Structures are given as C-alpha cells and as structure tokens.
Amino acid sequence: MTSQRTALIPLLVIATAQLMLVLDDSIVNIALPSIQDELGIDSVNLPWVVNAYILAFGALLLLGGRMGDVWGRRRTLQVGIGVFVAASFAGGLGQDAMMLIAARAVQGIGAALAAPNALALITTTFPDRKTRDTALALYGAMSGLGIVIGLLLGGLLTGTLGWRWVFFINVPIGLLVLLGSRTLVSADSHGGRLGATGALLGTGGMVALVYAITRLGEEGLGDPTAFLLIGAAAVLIAVFIFNQSRSRSPLVPLSLFRDRNRSGAYASMLLLAIGPMGTFFVVTLYFQNVLGFGPLQTGAAWLPFAGGLVLGAGAAPKLLLRFAPRIIAGVGALLSASAALWFSVITVEANYWLHLAPAMFILALGFGLGVIALTQAAVYRVDPDKAGIASALLNSAQQIGVALGLAVLAGVSATVTATAHLDSMGTGEALVVGYSASLTVAAGVLALAAVLALTTLSAGSTAEKEPTLL
C-alpha cells in the first residue's frame, strides 16, 4: 500500500499539473485588454489568444490519451508538460499577434498530451482505495478551482508584474511538475500503433467540432460557417467510427462504449460541464457589465465557488462508498441546476451575500459531487491498455462541454439582450434579461444531466466493485 508520506509528492504533482492546465483556460482572459494595448492586436484576432488554446486542447485529447497507452503514460505526461512550459515561455516573449496565438496553440498541444495521462496515472500510482480516491477528489477539484484561481492570479499578475507573467508563471510551476513526475508510477506501455488514418479522422473531426463551437461563441447561433463545420465534423466522426470498428489498433476502442455505465458517464459529464462553466461565464459578465466590478474584484467574488467545489470534491469519495454513483452524480447535477435557476432571477441590483454568494456555493458543491462520481464511473474497471483513452474521452467530454456552454449561453444571452434593446429597455435591464434567459437554459441542461446520470449509471456503489486496473 502507498503510505501517506510517499503518496504526498505524487498527489501534489498530479493536482498541480491539472491545476496549471485548467488555469490557462481563464488566466489569459483578464490580461486580454493589456495584451491588445501593448501588441496592437486587432479586435477580430484577439479572441484567438484564448480560442487557440481551447481548440488545440480539445481537439487533440483523444490522440494524447492513446499515445499514453501505447508509449507510456508518464513519458507522454512529461513530454506534454515540457511542450507546455516551452510554449508558455514563448508566449511571455510574444512580440505580435501571430507569435502569441501560435504559442497558445502549442500550449494546447502540450495540455492535450498531459491532461488525460495525469488522470490515468492516478490508477497506477495509487493502488490503495483511500489514497486513490483522495487523488481523484483533488483532480476533480482542480478542474473547477483552476478557473477561479486563473481569474484571481490573472488580475494580480497583470496589475503588478505585467501581462507577460501570465505566461511566465507556468515555467517554474511546470519545471517543478516535471521534477516531481519521477515519483509517478507508470504502467508498462502496451505497444501497438496509433493508427495514422484513425488519428487523422478523429483529430480532424474534433478540430471541426471545437472550431464550430468557438465560432458559435464569437459570431452567435446564426453563423453559417459554424453549421458547415458541424456538418463536416459529423461526417468525419462517422467515418472515424467506421474506421475504428475495422481497425486492429483503434485510436478509440469502441468496446469502451458497450459499457452503459461508462457511456452514461461521458454523456453526463458533457452536460454537467455545460451548465456550471457557462454559468460562470455569464455571471462574470454580470459582475463586470452590470454591477461594475473590476477584474480582481470579480475573481475574489467567486471565492464561494471555490469553497463549494472543495467541499463537494472532498465529500464525494466518502459518499461513493455508501451510495451508487448515479445517486451522487444525479444529486450533484440537481444541486447545480437549482443554483443556476437561483441565479436566473438576478436584477440590476442583486445582493451579493444573500443572492449571488449562496448560489455560487451550491453550484460548485453540485459540480464537485458530480465530477468525482462521473470520473470514478468512467475510469474504474477499465483494461490497463485502455485507461489512457478512457481518461481522454472523459476529458474531451468535459472540455467540449465547457466550450459548448460558453458558446450556447453567450449566444442566448446576446440574442435575448438584443431583442430587449429593441423593446426600448435600458442597457442594464436588457443585459439582465439576456443573462437571466441564458441561466435558465443552464438550469435546464443541468436537470437533463441529472436525469441522464440517474438512468444510465450503475446502481451499485464503487465499494462493491473495486477496479481491476492494476
């Protein structure tokens, strides 16, 4: 068994790696105005400082997971962190828009190699149930905490040391992760081939899908290019599935989806990620555009979210010893749905402590419970040679859910706000009407996630079916 002392460093390595990768989803957002002023980036190109990372990260996760299964998870994690650190340093030195956007895309490539293998390494590094559950809880907590810490740290670094330190901060953190990664126990590589045709089809389909989602967020729900890309993604993914069904070395073994419990976990994670992350985006806009909060004040305002996430992720492993994953995931999604509905009754002068802070806490509490339950359902009882790709599929579902939540909720908000303006509403009132409508949609999506989890996940607790990964 892994003792608490020997488990501490690997625990910190995995948690820090996940925190660093997720943090980059939000830390750059706060620095965008400063980046635009110094580098003279056009408004058209500015969103790509964020989207280049999301696109590369989301599109290449499956390939990163499969590479870990074939070539070794620790080695693939180390390569990914190395690429991420080098790209972060290049981004900090960026002299123009193209250099900065290219660095962000390479950061996304490194993240796609590292993230699924960090999750898969939990199962090989921590053979005892208690320590493994602690690692899973930390991993799940970092998925949400990274967003909040990114806002706080982004505002602090931009306001003191300058925007370049939003990138440079990853260098010492990444080097420490690389140093500590030697303590991780890597399962043997399982050989086989990546499958060039499958890799091209799968990656092409994911690129088209994630790019379509980012365009919907930028251009609105009526963008024809986005729907053409969705059509292309559907064709590529259909051909990819056919190719995988006939391949001797599939990138994604379709046998993973024959397990109803695992398929339900992937689908539920997609919907669960849409709600809280989309809500996070909309309420952040509400803080700044309606209540007049500054960047650092906005980040600090989300601290109740961090508290709820830590509590939910910490309580989930203990609850999973007594209750079925579907109960924990379903209750978590319903808690988040109620919080989004609570948010939806915002006004131009909502009280932070009585209205907003409690809703944040409940939103995160439900998200923390749901993420841990779905993570366990997805990665438990997976064959050793498929653990990396199983983890990558879960990461992909979450990353696509985040991007989809931003796109859909931003689109609903913008459309309803524009209609409210036509009805001669003031700017503040119109914005609130739009935000309220999008938050109602988020509540509906989360309720659907609860129904899906309750009807597809296992009826037994994870204590009754200890994993056979090792």
Side-chain angles (χ1 to χ4, degrees):
M1 277 197 169
T2 306
S3 69
Q4 289 185 350
R5 180 174 296 179
T6 57
L8 180 60
I9 293 178
L11 268 173
L12 290 174
V13 169
I14 289 175
T16 304
Q18 177 66 359
L19 177 65
M20 183 177 66
L21 300 177
V22 175
L23 182 144
D24 253 58
D25 275 336
S26 63
I27 191 171
V28 176
N29 284 275
I30 297 296
L32 286 179
S34 299
I35 293 172
Q36 184 175 29
D37 290 342
E38 182 171 331
L39 300 185
I41 300 177
D42 293 336
S43 297
V44 175
N45 293 323
L46 190 63
W48 279 101
V49 177
V50 175
N51 290 340
Y53 180 77
I54 294 175
L55 179 62
F57 189 7
L60 297 174
L61 272 166
L62 296 183
L63 187 60
R66 180 57 179 163
M67 286 174 66
D69 287 340
V70 174
W71 293 342
R73 292 173 200 138
R74 185 173 64 184
R75 181 189 306 169
T76 307
L77 171 74
Q78 290 169 333
V79 170
I81 295 295
V83 169
F84 186 87
V85 166
S88 297
F89 186 71
L93 296 175
Q95 299 300 307
D96 55 37
M98 292 309 297
M99 181 177 177
L100 189 58
I101 291 170
R104 287 289 283 165
V106 178
Q107 274 188 311
I109 294 171
L113 293 175
N117 291 294
L119 177 56
L121 279 165
I122 289 175
T123 63
T124 54
T125 302
F126 309 110
D128 66 290
R129 175 63 184 266
K130 182 178 179 181
T131 311
R132 185 174 60 245
D133 284 350
T134 300
L136 284 170
L138 271 174
Y139 182 92
M142 292 307 104
S143 298
L145 279 177
I147 304 294
V148 178
I149 294 173
L151 288 175
L152 285 168
L153 192 58
L156 181 63
L157 291 174
T158 303
T160 54
L161 299 176
W163 68 264
R164 294 183 185 278
W165 278 93
V166 167
F167 297 94
F168 287 147
I169 191 66
N170 290 322
V171 176
I173 297 174
L175 292 176
L176 285 174
V177 170
L178 276 177
L179 182 65
S181 66
R182 293 180 299 174
T183 64
L184 301 175
V185 180
S186 180
D188 295 333
S189 58
H190 296 280
R193 298 177 301 170
L194 289 177
T197 302
L200 286 173
L201 288 169
T203 302
M206 293 294 288
V207 167
L209 178 61
V210 178
Y211 184 31
I213 292 170
T214 59
R215 283 196 63 95
L216 287 172
E218 291 175 5
E219 308 295 336
L221 300 180
D223 179 43
T225 303
F227 287 101
L228 286 174
L229 286 166
I230 290 172
V235 172
L236 286 169
I237 291 172
V239 177
F240 169 74
I241 292 171
F242 177 76
N243 171 267
Q244 297 299 283
S245 68
R246 301 173 65 87
S247 174
R248 293 183 178 179
S249 299
L251 176 65
V252 178
L254 299 183
S255 59
L256 287 172
F257 297 99
R258 296 193 189 111
D259 185 327
R260 176 181 171 183
N261 185 65
R262 189 168 296 114
S263 296
Y266 294 147
S268 300
M269 180 66 85
L270 174 69
L271 295 179
L272 185 66
I274 289 175
M277 294 302 103
T279 299
F280 188 97
F281 174 76
V282 170
V283 176
T284 296
L285 290 178
Y286 169 75
F287 280 144
Q288 295 184 338
N289 296 335
V290 178
L291 299 185
F293 285 17
L296 189 56
Q297 188 181 8
T298 298
W302 277 101
L303 287 176
F305 184 92
L309 195 63
V310 169
L311 181 61
K318 296 178 182 178
L319 292 172
L320 284 164
L321 294 174
R322 299 183 58 190
F323 302 102
R326 67 175 181 177
I327 301 299
I328 306 304
V331 168
L334 285 174
L335 283 172
S336 291
S338 66
L341 198 61
W342 190 348
F343 269 131
S344 71
V345 295
I346 52 174
T347 65
V348 291
E349 295 180 347
N351 184 285
Y352 174 78
W353 291 109
L354 295 179
H355 184 177
L356 303 174
M360 285 179 198
F361 183 83
I362 295 171
L363 179 76
L365 177 65
F367 185 59
L369 290 170
V371 165
I372 300 304
L374 295 174
T375 298
Q376 291 200 358
V379 302
Y380 274 10
R381 302 189 72 87
V382 181
D383 293 335
D385 63 335
K386 298 182 179 70
I389 192 61
S391 302
L393 285 165
L394 186 71
N395 274 279
S396 294
Q398 185 172 351
Q399 191 69 15
I400 290 172
V402 169
L404 195 58
L406 294 176
V408 171
L409 268 63
V412 170
S413 175
T415 301
V416 174
T417 297
T419 303
H421 268 305
L422 292 176
D423 293 337
S424 301
M425 278 190 181
T427 301
E429 290 84 356
L431 285 171
V432 166
V433 170
Y435 297 154
S436 179
S438 62
L439 292 166
T440 303
V441 171
V445 170
L446 286 164
L448 183 59
V451 171
L452 192 61
L454 288 168
T455 55
T456 60
L457 297 189
S458 170
S461 74
T462 55
E464 299 171 359
K465 50 177 191 177
E466 193 62 7
T468 58
L469 281 163
L470 300 172

